[in-house]
């Protein structure tokens, strides 16, 4: 029999390929397997295929087997051998199909039991193996082998009891076989039974001293248990038996590298390359060696090779192969592909939940991707296994620090620093102590970390910012300059130096630093933006505008530059242009929510609450996990009177804020605004978990209990606040607010006055004025506001309050003068116009309606302004005209009793009594009840309510 040197796949028939499909099918159905079949040719092809298979020529064997089957489809041996060829080639699905076809045509299932079991195990189809493959028809040694495979499937499924039973049965059937011992040893290692695993692997080498795989298994277990000397000897024994054993060669190289014997490791890798053995684990080791040499390009090339080889492997070849999975994860992590690395680690850890290295790597990735909720329990489990592992302690501290668990972070970093003398751990310890309010200790550790490692820019930057914040300008500048001195070419740090100079009030120095950066690199965006900020602050709008637009010529639609342009235009008094720039910035990217947040703020300030809410909904769809976005959504809902959805947004914000005390307090206040004291109480709880004595949280706790009406808890909270922070401004203000709530007006006035003496400001002045008005001393309230207004002539909020108090006190001319001053400064402020319209109506000024119309035009959709205009129209005898605005106001804010009363009044005026009665009933039962007035009394009588 002549052996073809270049096998080729025979065509079925050359003319048929040109026939239409239906005709071709008819011809094939009528003729194939009869006239053209040649058993003699099929036999020759099969013999040639068998020889090629035995020599390792899998591609040639595959072609000849397909030729065999084309000649004789009934040859069972060809179908069976094709399955084996495809299996060895890694074509697992094709192999499975070939084995199934062999069985379908008559091959006894026992003939394919072992290869099918191996195939299912490699594909990760453990359930299929256990359900479909059994020992029926197999001899004792084959039964033992199959039972070993079944035991491995049970072990990988987590059922160690049945796995142990299968291994025991296999050992009983073939006591001289090393296979069940090798598989059992791996299961024992995964279960943490290291001594048993080692003893079992040693027994396997005793039973099969010439089996290289047995020695490799022992070496792998020794390597996993840090017995490097024993592992090296075992791998060398395996390689002496079979020098081409890839697993042993790769493990040997990895071990040598870990022992600092790089040259010998490279020799191992050279042998693999010479043998044309392309193994991804070998590529990973090459990458590690290149990194150690400082050859970043070579390292990246090898990491890419390793990742590429592993990525294209069939899933079945990966499932169950821990070294390959770990190599894939490590390679992708080194390349910055965290998502892909995590996918491999998820598989590996599902396979072996005790793989410590994989768990640490996964925790690192979870931390990098800010998935703290999953990172924390994983690291806590690792700490239980190795309480003094400095790497795991550092990672756990980083998770706690990111989640604002400052006490836990401090504890973890302190232990990490003790066990490693790490300056990084000391730096992070400083950060966590600052979070706890232990400023002196935190600052001391940051200073020590920076002194130990002057190249630690993270420590240096934080130190400089702290010094600048605390008014230590010289130290802030000195620290920033020290960072720049370490690397004068680092433009980021030179830009930071400019920021520090700006923070300490050296605007000229900041400008000089930013200009130096741009002189070195005109395209350095942060410096260009910072220099423009300086111009904007100094109202040099045109130079800033020119610079920012020039930056857009280098990078079209740069979202950061567009955002700054929007800020510039708003500051320059061009809100429409600002909105256009922010919309453009929002349209060209999905990463930064700032443009959308700026648009929401601008629309809200313009009283366009419906548009603000619509914008917020779009932004939440883009950034559902961004805390500022959820807060903006909640505020937007509040603005349109939808407290239910506002609460839901604040609830989600609470989850996102985790244990950040400051943010939790802020959200709690918003929950109170939404009428949700229970939600606010939960915010207090989370804030105090992070910082048990946080003053802002203790203040909020008092306010929550006041809203709940639990006087006992309120008193307890107030007592705690006074004991921890006696005489401080927040304590005085809280005591005053509680006194006001309880009607203890003299005490409230006294506390507000003490607060005003301690830290005079507009907010306190307004509250003191309110308390004085409630006490009946309106003149003193007016005197206070007038005096404070003289000292703060530019404070428009103060002037608005003064105008309102003057209005309420019946001093209409003085109020008119105050409103005129306000309107001269801000003619298009809807709130001011609304207040002025009310004053005009009180004074009988027919211009009240026109003023209210202007206010509504500036803030269309505002229910209060719609209500005001509608009510003014009704009071001026234009009920039908007023109805349109009142109906819109009622639909936008159905919970307002005042709005519904106004609508009922207008409906009654228009003769629609039934509808008026329905609206008035709703008004009297509304959450925000209607105020008593002569008009209300008359309407109730008229409608019989």
């Amino acid at each position: 029999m002549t052996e073809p040197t270049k096998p080729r796949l025979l065509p079925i028939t050359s003319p048929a390929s040109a026939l239409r499909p239906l005709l071709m099918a008819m011809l094939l159905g009528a003729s194939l397997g009869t006239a053209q079949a040649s058993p003699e040719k099929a036999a020759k092809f099969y013999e040639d295929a068998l020889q090629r298979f035995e020599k390792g020529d899998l591609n040639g064997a595959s072609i000849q087997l397909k030729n065999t089957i084309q000649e004789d489809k009934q040859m069972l041996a060809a179908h069976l051998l094709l399955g084996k060829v495809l299996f060895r080639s890694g074509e697992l699905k094709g192999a499975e199909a070939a084995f199934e076809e062999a069985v379908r045509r008559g091959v006894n299932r026992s003939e394919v039991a072992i290869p099918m079991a191996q195939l299912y195990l490699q594909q990760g189809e453990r359930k299929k193996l256990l359900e479909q493959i059994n020992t029926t028809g197999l001899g004792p040694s084959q039964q033992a082998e199959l039972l070993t495979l079944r035991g491995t499937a049970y072990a990988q499924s987590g059922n160690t009891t049945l796995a142990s039973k299968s291994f025991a049965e296999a050992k009983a059937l073939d006591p001289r076989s090393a296979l069940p011992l090798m598989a059992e040893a791996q299961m024992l290692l995964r279960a943490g039974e290291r001594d048993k695993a080692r003893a079992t692997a040693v027994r396997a080498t005793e039973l099969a001293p010439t089996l290289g795989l047995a020695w490799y298994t022992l070496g792998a277990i020794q390597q996993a248990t840090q017995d490097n000397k024993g592992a090296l000897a075992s791998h060398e024994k395996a390689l002496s038996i079979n020098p081409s054993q890839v697993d042993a060669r790769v493990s040997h190289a990895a071990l040598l590298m870990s022992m600092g014997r790089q040259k010998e490791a490279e020799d191992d890798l050279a042998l693999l390359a010479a043998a044309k053995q392309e193994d991804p684990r070998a590529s990973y080791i090459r990458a590690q060696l290149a990194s150690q040499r400082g050859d970043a390009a070579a390292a990246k090339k090898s990491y890419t090779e390793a990742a590429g080889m592993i990525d294209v492997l069939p899933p079945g070849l990966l499932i169950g192969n821990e070294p390959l999975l770990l190599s894939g994860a490590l390679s992708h992590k080194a390349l910055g592909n965290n998502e892909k690395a995590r996918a491999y680690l998820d598989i590996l850890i599902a396979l072996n939940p005790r793989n410590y290295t994989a768990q640490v790597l996964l925790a690192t990735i979870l931390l990098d991707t800010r998935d703290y909720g999953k990172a924390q329990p994983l690291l806590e489990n690792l700490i239980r296994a190795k309480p003094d592992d400095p790497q795991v302690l550092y990672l756990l501290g980083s998770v706690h620090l990111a989640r604002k668990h400052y006490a836990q972070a401090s504890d973890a970093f302190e232990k990490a620093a003790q066990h490693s003398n790490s300056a990084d751990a000391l730096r992070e310890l400083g950060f966590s102590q600052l979070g706890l309010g232990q400023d002196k200790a935190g600052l001391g550790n940051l200073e020590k970390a920076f002194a130990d490692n002057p190249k630690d820019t993270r420590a240096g930057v934080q130190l400089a910012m702290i010094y600048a914040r605390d008014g230590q300008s010289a130290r802030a500048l000195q620290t920033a300059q020290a960072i720049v001195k370490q690397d004068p070419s680092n433009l980021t740090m030179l830009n930071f130096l400019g920021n520090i100079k700006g923070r300490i009030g050296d605007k000229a120095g900041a400008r000089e630093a930013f200009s130096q950066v741009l002189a070195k690199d005109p395209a350095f965006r942060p410096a260009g933006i910072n220099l423009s900020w300086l111009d904007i602050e100094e109202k040099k709008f045109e130079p800033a505008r020119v610079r920012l637009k020039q930056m857009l010529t280098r990078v079209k639609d740069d979202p950061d530059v567009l955002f700054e342009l929007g800020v510039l235009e708003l500051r320059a008094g061009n809100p429409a242009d600002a909105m256009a720039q922010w919309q453009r910035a929002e349209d060209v990217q999905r990463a930064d929510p700032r443009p959308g947040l700026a648009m929401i703020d601008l629309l809200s300030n313009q009283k366009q609450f419906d548009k603000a809410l619509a914008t917020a909904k779009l932004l939440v769809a883009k950034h559902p996990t961004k805390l500022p976005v959820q807060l903006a959504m909640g505020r937007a809902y509040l603005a349109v009177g939808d407290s239910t959805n506002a609460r839901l947004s604040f609830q989600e914000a609470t989850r996102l804020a985790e244990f950040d005390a400051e943010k939790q307090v802020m959200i709690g206040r918003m929950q109170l605004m939404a009428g949700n004291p229970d939600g606010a109480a939960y915010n207090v709880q989370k804030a105090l978990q992070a910082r048990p004595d946080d003053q802002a949280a203790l203040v909020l706790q008092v306010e929550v209990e006041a809203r709940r009406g639990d006087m006992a808890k309120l008193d307890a909270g107030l007592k705690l606040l006074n004991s921890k922070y006696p005489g401080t401004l927040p304590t005085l203000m809280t005591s005053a607010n509680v006194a006001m709530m309880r009607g203890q007006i003299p005490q409230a006035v006294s506390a507000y006055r003490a607060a005003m003496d301690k830290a005079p400001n507009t907010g306190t002045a307004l509250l003191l004025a309110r308390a004085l008005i409630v006490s009946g001393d309106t003149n003193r309230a007016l005197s206070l506001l007038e005096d404070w207004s003289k000292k703060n002539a530019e404070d428009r909020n103060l002037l608005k309050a003064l105008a309102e108090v003057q209005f309420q006190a019946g001093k209409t001319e003085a109020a008119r003068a105050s409103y005129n001053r306000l309107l001269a400064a801000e003619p298009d402020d809807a709130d001011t116009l609304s207040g002025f319209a009310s004053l005009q109506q009180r004074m009988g000024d027919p211009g009240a309606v026109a003023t209210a119309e202007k206010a509504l035009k500036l803030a269309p959709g505002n229910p209060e302004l719609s209500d005001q205009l509608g009510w003014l129209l009704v009071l001026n005898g234009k009920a039908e005209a007023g109805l349109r605005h009142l109906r819109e106001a009622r639909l936008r804010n159905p919970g307002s009793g005042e709005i519904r009363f106004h609508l009922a009044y207008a409906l009654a005026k228009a003769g629609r009594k039934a509808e008026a009665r329905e609206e008035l009933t709703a008004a009297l039962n509304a959450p925000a009840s209607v105020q008593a007035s002569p008009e209300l009394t008359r309407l109730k009588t008229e409608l019989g309510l």
Side-chain angles (χ1 to χ4, degrees):
M1 179 171 59
T2 303
E3 177 181 326
T5 56
K6 291 184 179 179
R8 61 188 180 85
L9 188 60
L10 299 178
I12 296 174
T13 56
S14 47
S17 61
L19 297 176
R20 290 180 291 111
L22 181 59
L23 178 58
M24 179 179 176
M26 292 171 62
L27 289 174
L28 289 175
S31 62
L32 286 182
T34 55
Q36 293 185 357
S38 172
E40 294 80 8
K41 289 175 69 175
K44 289 181 180 181
F45 284 130
Y46 177 78
E47 290 299 326
D48 183 39
L50 184 58
Q51 290 180 31
R52 290 178 183 279
F53 176 67
E54 291 169 349
K55 293 177 182 178
D57 180 9
L58 300 179
N59 185 53
S62 177
I63 291 174
Q64 293 299 65
L65 285 169
K66 290 173 184 176
N67 287 334
T68 302
I69 292 169
Q70 184 177 315
E71 290 296 332
D72 185 0
K73 287 188 174 181
Q74 301 304 319
M75 185 184 285
L76 300 183
H79 288 287
L80 183 59
L81 184 57
L82 179 60
K84 294 177 180 179
V85 169
L86 294 172
F87 182 31
R88 192 175 295 182
S89 300
E91 299 179 36
L92 302 185
K93 287 298 182 183
E96 183 179 4
F99 286 138
E100 290 292 352
E101 180 66 11
V103 171
R104 189 183 70 80
R105 290 183 177 276
V107 171
N108 191 290
R109 188 165 287 277
S110 64
E111 293 291 325
V112 299
I114 290 176
M116 285 288 277
Q118 294 170 334
L119 186 151
Y120 288 148
L121 202 57
Q122 287 198 24
Q123 288 181 316
E125 296 179 335
R126 298 182 286 271
K127 184 177 179 182
K128 207 169 181 180
L129 185 162
L130 294 170
E131 290 179 350
Q132 297 184 14
I133 310 297
N134 55 55
T135 58
T136 303
L138 298 177
S141 63
Q142 291 176 312
Q143 287 186 49
E145 185 174 355
L146 182 55
L147 284 167
T148 298
L149 292 169
R150 288 177 62 84
T152 300
Y154 279 127
Q156 291 182 359
S157 302
N159 193 334
T160 55
T161 301
L162 289 180
S164 298
K165 182 180 178 183
S166 287
F167 292 142
E169 291 175 358
K171 288 184 286 187
L173 280 167
D174 190 356
R176 299 302 306 167
S177 175
L179 294 179
L181 291 168
M182 292 160 57
E184 186 177 29
Q186 295 174 38
M187 179 190 75
L188 291 168
L189 180 64
R190 285 195 294 271
E193 299 184 50
R194 296 184 170 192
D195 292 339
K196 282 188 178 181
R198 185 194 297 262
T200 304
V202 168
R203 177 60 180 153
T205 62
E206 292 170 348
L207 287 175
T210 60
L211 182 61
L213 280 174
W215 288 102
Y216 162 71
T217 300
L218 175 58
I221 290 172
Q222 290 168 322
Q223 199 165 345
T225 54
Q226 283 81 50
D227 179 8
N228 289 348
K229 184 178 179 181
L232 195 63
S234 295
H235 288 319
E236 287 174 353
K237 179 69 173 177
L239 290 170
S240 70
I241 296 169
N242 182 5
S244 63
Q245 187 179 337
V246 175
D247 288 337
R249 184 68 66 188
V250 170
S251 294
H252 190 248
L255 188 56
L256 289 168
M257 181 181 67
S258 70
M259 297 171 71
R261 295 161 63 175
Q262 284 85 352
K263 177 62 174 63
E264 293 169 85
E266 289 175 350
D267 291 342
D268 269 335
L269 298 175
L271 288 173
L272 288 170
K276 297 184 178 178
Q277 292 285 359
E278 294 183 351
D279 187 282
R281 296 165 299 171
S283 292
Y284 175 75
I285 297 170
R286 287 191 186 94
Q288 289 278 285
L289 290 168
S291 292
Q292 292 175 8
R293 294 194 306 270
D295 190 344
K300 183 177 181 180
K301 180 176 180 292
S302 293
Y303 282 132
T304 303
E305 286 176 357
M309 281 189 276
I310 295 172
D311 288 347
V312 299
L313 289 174
L317 290 176
L318 284 173
I319 295 173
N321 193 320
E322 292 186 39
L324 275 181
L325 289 166
L326 187 58
S327 296
L330 288 165
S331 298
H332 277 294
K333 176 70 170 66
L335 292 168
N337 304 329
N338 281 336
E339 187 174 342
K340 189 68 177 178
R342 183 171 173 178
Y344 282 131
L345 290 172
D346 287 341
I347 298 171
L348 197 165
I349 292 171
L351 172 70
N352 180 8
R354 293 176 179 270
N355 191 308
Y356 192 83
T357 302
Q359 291 180 83
V360 172
L361 181 58
L362 178 58
T364 304
I365 291 172
L366 292 169
L367 183 59
D368 288 346
T369 56
R370 301 182 181 181
D371 194 345
Y372 308 126
K374 291 183 179 178
Q376 183 172 330
L378 175 59
L379 288 166
E380 287 170 346
N381 285 333
L382 292 173
I383 282 294
R384 280 190 280 272
K386 292 187 178 182
D388 298 331
D389 186 327
Q391 181 184 7
V392 175
L393 284 165
Y394 181 87
L395 291 172
L396 182 59
S398 299
V399 169
H400 283 308
L401 185 59
R403 303 186 80 172
K404 313 297 182 185
H405 301 174
Y406 297 116
Q408 297 93 322
S410 180
D411 181 61
F413 286 130
E414 189 167 14
K415 289 177 181 175
Q418 289 171 355
H419 291 295
S420 66
N421 295 318
S422 165
D424 287 347
L426 195 63
R427 176 196 63 217
E428 301 303 311
L429 172 60
F431 288 147
S432 59
Q433 289 169 327
L434 289 171
L436 279 170
Q438 300 171 0
D439 292 353
K440 185 176 180 180
L443 186 61
N445 280 319
L446 280 179
E447 289 171 338
K448 188 174 186 307
F450 190 56
D452 289 347
N453 180 14
K455 293 184 178 180
D456 186 345
T457 56
R458 181 168 157 80
V461 165
Q462 188 65 35
L463 273 175
M465 292 173 65
I466 291 172
Y467 292 147
R469 182 198 66 195
D470 293 347
Q472 300 183 54
S473 300
R475 298 190 74 179
L477 184 59
Q478 181 184 9
T479 305
Q481 288 171 335
I483 298 171
V484 172
K485 187 178 179 180
Q486 287 292 327
D487 184 5
S489 64
N490 189 326
L491 298 185
T492 299
M493 289 300 102
L494 183 55
N495 182 64
F496 174 70
L497 175 60
N499 281 324
I500 288 296
K501 288 184 175 182
R503 283 172 181 254
I504 64 176
D506 183 4
K507 302 295 184 183
R511 186 178 291 276
E512 180 186 4
F514 298 143
S515 298
Q516 285 178 9
V517 174
L518 293 174
K520 294 179 179 181
D521 182 2
F524 194 80
R525 294 162 62 255
I529 290 172
N530 285 334
L531 195 54
S532 299
W533 258 110
L534 281 178
D535 285 338
I536 293 169
E537 288 293 313
E538 296 170 7
K539 298 186 178 181
K540 298 176 181 177
F541 299 124
E542 191 54 32
R545 188 180 287 115
V546 169
R547 185 182 301 106
L548 291 170
K549 288 187 175 179
Q550 177 63 32
M551 292 173 71
L552 287 176
T553 64
R554 286 192 291 269
V555 180
K556 184 183 178 183
D557 290 336
D558 184 319
D560 291 333
V561 177
L562 290 169
F563 175 75
E564 299 303 331
L565 269 172
V567 173
L568 182 154
E569 297 301 350
L570 185 66
R571 295 280 188 92
N574 306 315
D577 292 339
M579 185 68 75
Q581 297 292 357
W582 287 331
Q583 184 63 65
R584 189 174 160 198
E586 180 67 17
D587 291 342
V588 298
Q589 55 83 41
R590 297 183 64 87
D592 185 359
R594 289 183 304 158
L597 292 170
M599 289 193 290
I600 295 167
D601 286 343
L602 179 54
L603 289 167
S604 298
N605 290 336
Q606 294 174 336
K607 308 301 180 185
Q608 299 186 56
F609 298 121
D610 284 346
K611 288 185 178 180
L613 179 58
T615 304
K617 288 179 178 178
L618 291 174
L619 198 62
V620 165
K622 282 186 177 182
H623 308 282
T625 60
K626 296 279 180 72
L627 176 61
V629 176
Q630 286 291 344
L631 293 176
M633 171 72 96
R635 287 192 294 265
Y637 274 124
L638 277 181
V640 298
D642 187 348
S643 58
T644 300
N645 277 311
R647 293 176 185 179
L648 293 175
S649 294
F650 296 143
Q651 182 178 323
E652 177 62 14
T654 298
R655 185 186 69 80
L656 294 173
E658 295 191 327
F659 290 91
D660 187 313
E662 184 177 347
K663 290 185 174 64
Q664 289 293 352
V665 169
M666 175 181 63
I667 298 166
R669 295 199 174 285
M670 293 182 184
Q671 286 282 33
L672 287 181
M673 292 171 63
N676 185 15
D678 290 340
Y682 182 63
N683 294 118
V684 169
Q685 178 186 336
K686 294 196 76 172
L688 291 176
Q689 278 182 264
R691 300 179 68 169
D693 292 330
D694 186 82
Q695 186 176 17
L698 292 175
V699 168
L700 180 60
Q701 187 174 46
V702 173
E703 294 175 9
V704 167
E705 298 309 335
R707 184 71 66 88
R708 282 172 155 177
D710 191 328
M711 295 300 107
K713 287 186 177 179
L714 183 153
D715 287 333
L718 194 58
K719 182 179 179 181
L720 178 63
L721 180 63
N722 275 285
S723 69
K724 289 189 175 292
Y725 301 99
T728 62
L729 183 63
T731 300
L732 288 170
M733 294 295 292
T734 304
S735 299
N737 291 335
V738 170
M740 279 293 292
M741 178 203 71
R742 288 174 160 168
Q744 299 167 344
I745 308 305
Q747 294 93 319
V749 169
S750 176
Y752 284 135
R753 196 176 297 285
M756 191 70 178
D757 291 340
K758 180 175 285 289
N761 62 76
T762 298
T764 306
L766 295 176
L767 289 171
L768 176 55
R770 183 189 66 165
L772 289 168
I773 291 170
V774 173
S775 72
D777 200 344
T778 304
N779 288 332
R780 286 180 67 190
L782 275 173
S783 177
L784 167 69
L785 293 176
E786 286 167 353
D787 289 344
W788 191 248
S789 182
K790 290 174 184 175
K791 296 174 185 176
N792 301 272
E794 300 299 318
D795 191 329
R796 294 177 187 172
N797 288 328
L798 178 61
L799 188 54
K800 283 181 185 179
L802 176 60
E804 290 173 8
V805 172
Q806 289 168 332
F807 178 26
Q808 292 169 12
K811 299 187 179 295
T812 54
E813 288 301 333
R816 181 194 287 273
S818 295
Y819 275 119
N820 284 334
R821 283 172 57 197
L822 279 168
L823 290 170
E826 45 185 34
D828 293 330
D829 183 79
D831 278 341
T832 302
L833 287 165
S834 174
F836 188 48
S838 297
L839 175 65
Q840 288 175 306
Q841 177 66 21
R842 168 83 65 87
M843 298 178 74
D845 186 338
V849 170
T851 304
E853 285 175 340
K854 183 178 180 182
L856 183 58
K857 186 176 181 181
L858 287 167
N862 184 305
E864 283 70 29
L865 296 182
S866 294
D867 172 61
Q868 181 185 42
L869 177 56
W871 184 235
L872 288 176
L873 287 167
V874 171
L875 293 178
N876 283 275
K878 300 176 181 178
E880 289 291 341
L883 265 176
R884 176 172 64 87
H885 297 290
L886 291 170
R887 286 190 189 280
E888 182 174 340
R890 174 251 186 271
L891 289 173
R892 290 182 182 276
N893 188 5
S896 169
E898 199 70 21
I899 290 175
R900 299 192 82 150
F901 157 59
H902 290 162
L903 177 58
Y905 189 93
L907 288 167
K909 283 285 186 184
R912 300 169 190 168
K913 302 286 181 160
E915 191 178 353
R917 187 178 294 107
E918 182 180 335
E919 284 299 324
L920 184 57
T921 301
L924 295 172
N925 294 295
S929 59
V930 60
Q931 293 182 358
S933 67
E935 291 87 353
L936 176 62
T937 302
R938 285 197 299 271
L939 185 61
K940 287 170 66 176
T941 302
E942 180 183 343
L943 298 177
L945 293 176

